[in-house]
Amino acid sequence: MKGKQPNAVFLISVALTLAICIWGMAWPVSFTNAANGSMEFLTVNFAWLYCLAMTLFVAFCIWIGFISKYKTMRLGPDDSKPEYSTMAWFAMLFSAGMGVGLVFWGIAEPLNFFVAPIGGITPGSGEAMRFAFAKAFLHWGIHPWANYAVLALALAFMQFRRGKPALVSSVFIPLIGEKRVNGWMGKTVDILALFATAGGVATSLGMGVLQINSGLNFLFDIPETRLVQLILIIVLAVIYIATAIGGIEKGISQVSNLNVKIAVGVMLVLLVVGPTVPILNNMMEGVGAYLSGMIASTFSVGAFGDGQWYRSWTIFYWAWWISWAPFTGSFIARISRGRTIGEFMRGVLLLPAGFSVIWFSIFGTLGMELDFEIGKQAITSTATALFTVLQHYPLGVALSVVIFVLICTFFITSANSATYVLGMYSEKGTLSPSNRSKVIWGVLMAALAAAMMFASDNGLSMLQILSIVAAFPFAFIMLASILSLLKGLKQESLQADGAAVSQTEPAE
């Protein structure tokens, strides 16, 4: 940290993350029991909180970005301009916000819903297909991006409009004052942000390693073992730490642009070689089912039945997205200087959600158009579902190789963005963290992913549990950030009105 003493937030966060890594690796049975108990408690007793929070995030984003008087305010001085082109901006925010999860679940999730729907729907039926697309669009559409946008907007406003440090605690200056933010309350918020970031990204990293291993097994017969997965974690950690050290312009932006180009290319090829007309029809009708049932689906927690299904899918997703909010929100804020609030919301809320809808329409249809028994077989392993389905289509092997590369680049982009943000948090909100902080957090995230994966026989389950537990306290922080942002915007508006009045008053 170049002559600076490590601060308390950094030391406590590192110690907490390291303790969890040691616990998971040294006493896996004890860790697994505690994690399962925590997940059961939170998903049973607080499913309503996750749903309510996500609903409020969507409503707030629509209001402030499309209706309110604040939509023309710039995130920075009034004469500031965007730091990055719209394409580079979108590529970075999308790659950081979805990452490898989009590839991991692209076929597996809608196919799971198609094969085993709830509510008395016949598996494999047209109604099951409607259910599958509506739920996949719900989980990956507007809601996660509204969740990111809430915190990202508050952070960008405080950083670039008010000149405050790039810390989550800075968001609360309008609400509780700078003195309390600089005290134990602010430090607690920043520690929770660091832990939620590490937990959420470790989940994504673990999923990425599982799917990369399955891709290597499919393409090159490399075994799916813990040793191979550990080697993959180490190799990928070296790559994402190196690109994080390269900075945003030289490292993160270039990989993000590559991600989007590969992803768009894959979608276009699959649209042509796959069942083109069913893909387009499913997208149209799926969007209709998603939009028409959005309100009911958003509030669904399984209170009237199928509670376990909602805890395993919808509630997990809401918790996962919340756990990603401090990292993704901070990164989106970092690259959004100079944009108006309306432009910010259009870009963060609508463009990525539209991309996700197209992605799931294509990949979901690929799985559902196969024989029903083949589809059932494909989802017996989530990590291999993508490769299993693709082999039944033209250019399947070639596309599998390209998607394997995409998994790696998405993985690297999510991880290096998180490493950069964790470095920012660790050094009191600097926009250019030291390489030392990036290396420390890059190694810790890899260790945390390994600890979760190897703590039990079902590594994916442990990773999901970590997300839900890490997200719980942060849900309250994000709800409070809305109140603080509104107060800050009101103060800014009153100051602007006062300045305008003083300029129009005649000189005495």
Side-chain angles (χ1 to χ4, degrees):
M1 295 181 191
K2 298 182 179 181
K4 295 181 181 179
Q5 291 296 320
N7 61 76
V9 170
F10 174 76
L11 293 174
I12 294 171
S13 302
V14 168
L16 180 61
T17 306
L18 194 57
I20 292 175
C21 292
I22 294 171
W23 184 12
M25 291 179 176
W27 299 281
V29 176
S30 168
F31 180 85
T32 301
N33 291 337
N36 287 331
S38 298
M39 181 178 179
E40 183 72 14
F41 175 79
L42 292 176
T43 56
V44 169
N45 293 288
F46 292 99
W48 61 272
L49 173 66
Y50 292 116
C51 288
L52 179 62
M54 295 298 283
T55 303
L56 291 175
F57 297 156
V58 172
F60 174 75
C61 288
I62 292 173
W63 172 77
I64 199 167
F66 301 91
I67 301 171
S68 79
K69 65 179 182 179
Y70 303 118
K71 63 181 181 288
T72 57
M73 184 182 292
R74 287 200 176 273
L75 299 172
D78 291 334
D79 61 348
S80 59
K81 300 297 181 184
E83 193 173 356
Y84 301 98
S85 69
T86 300
M87 181 61 201
W89 179 60
F90 169 74
M92 286 191 286
L93 72 88
F94 182 77
S95 296
M98 287 300 178
V100 74
L102 201 67
V103 186
F104 191 85
W105 292 108
I107 281 178
E109 181 172 336
L111 196 53
N112 263 286
F113 301 159
F114 179 66
V115 168
I118 59 172
I121 299 174
T122 303
S125 64
E127 189 60 27
M129 189 176 291
R130 177 185 175 89
F131 172 82
F133 283 113
K135 288 299 183 185
F137 295 168
L138 174 72
H139 296 157
W140 294 83
I142 292 175
H143 285 73
W145 291 100
N147 158 74
Y148 297 154
V150 163
L151 194 60
L153 178 61
L155 284 162
F157 172 77
M158 293 306 297
Q159 287 171 41
F160 303 127
R161 192 85 184 179
R162 293 289 189 88
K164 301 302 179 183
L167 294 169
V168 175
S169 58
S170 296
V171 169
F172 296 98
I173 291 174
L175 194 63
I176 62 175
E178 205 149 355
K179 183 177 180 180
R180 288 192 177 91
V181 163
N182 291 330
W184 68 268
M185 292 178 69
K187 286 181 172 57
T188 301
V189 168
D190 291 330
I191 290 169
L192 289 172
L194 276 160
F195 182 64
T197 297
V201 176
T203 303
S204 185
L205 300 189
M207 291 196 309
V209 167
L210 289 173
Q211 194 167 36
I212 289 170
N213 195 178
S214 70
L216 289 171
N217 177 261
F218 176 82
L219 296 169
F220 308 112
D221 291 324
I222 294 175
E224 296 183 65
T225 65
R226 288 186 174 182
L227 176 60
V228 172
Q229 290 162 6
L230 182 60
I231 293 171
L232 285 172
I233 289 174
I234 294 171
V235 171
L236 290 165
V238 170
I239 296 172
Y240 70 69
I241 291 172
T243 52
I245 289 173
I248 292 180
E249 288 80 7
K250 294 180 181 178
I252 298 172
S253 178
Q254 292 180 3
V255 181
S256 297
N257 285 330
L258 179 63
N259 285 344
V260 173
K261 290 176 182 177
I262 295 175
V264 171
V266 166
M267 288 195 300
L268 291 175
V269 172
L270 286 173
L271 183 62
V272 173
V273 303
T276 306
V277 173
I279 287 172
L280 297 174
N281 288 337
N282 291 344
M283 181 167 61
M284 290 298 101
E285 194 154 344
V287 169
Y290 164 49
L291 294 177
S292 64
M294 182 185 290
I295 294 178
S297 295
T298 300
F299 285 97
S300 296
V301 296
F304 305 139
D306 300 313
Q308 184 57 50
W309 187 93
Y310 281 96
R311 288 194 292 273
S312 299
W313 286 103
T314 303
I315 304 306
F316 159 68
Y317 272 121
W318 295 164
W320 191 24
W321 300 134
I322 290 172
S323 73
W324 267 54
F327 142 56
T328 309
S330 295
F331 187 74
I332 292 173
R334 171 66 182 83
I335 61 176
S336 297
R337 176 185 169 88
R339 299 188 183 274
T340 66
I341 289 177
E343 182 185 5
F344 175 89
M345 281 299 169
R346 289 192 297 274
V348 177
L349 205 63
L350 301 182
L351 289 178
F355 191 99
S356 296
V357 164
I358 297 171
W359 182 274
F360 277 95
S361 297
I362 292 172
F363 282 87
T365 302
L366 291 175
M368 295 179 204
E369 286 293 307
L370 296 177
D371 180 80
F372 186 72
E373 292 303 318
I374 295 176
K376 286 177 66 176
Q377 180 62 33
I379 59 171
T380 54
S381 171
T382 303
T384 59
L386 172 64
F387 303 106
T388 302
V389 168
L390 284 181
Q391 67 180 325
H392 294 279
Y393 287 94
L395 304 177
V397 174
L399 285 168
S400 294
V401 173
V402 175
I403 289 176
F404 176 78
V405 173
L406 183 62
I407 294 168
C408 295
T409 56
F410 264 137
F411 176 101
I412 291 165
T413 306
S414 296
N416 61 21
S417 303
T419 303
Y420 194 94
V421 168
L422 287 165
M424 289 166 52
Y425 287 165
S426 299
E427 297 182 17
K428 301 181 179 180
T430 177
L431 296 181
S432 300
S434 69
N435 291 337
R436 180 186 174 187
S437 288
K438 296 174 191 175
V439 170
I440 290 172
W441 279 110
V443 171
L444 279 175
M445 283 195 303
L448 187 59
M452 298 304 101
M453 291 172 67
F454 304 151
S456 71
D457 292 333
N458 190 348
L460 180 58
S461 175
M462 294 301 342
L463 291 163
Q464 292 175 335
I465 290 170
L466 178 64
S467 285
I468 291 175
V469 174
F472 179 68
F474 216 80
F476 296 97
I477 292 173
M478 290 182 62
L479 289 170
S481 73
I482 294 177
L483 299 176
S484 189
L485 175 60
L486 287 173
K487 187 174 182 180
L489 288 169
K490 186 176 180 181
Q491 292 169 349
E492 190 78 11
S493 182
L494 289 173
Q495 290 174 4
D497 291 343
V501 170
S502 65
Q503 289 175 3
T504 58
E505 288 179 349
E508 294 184 1

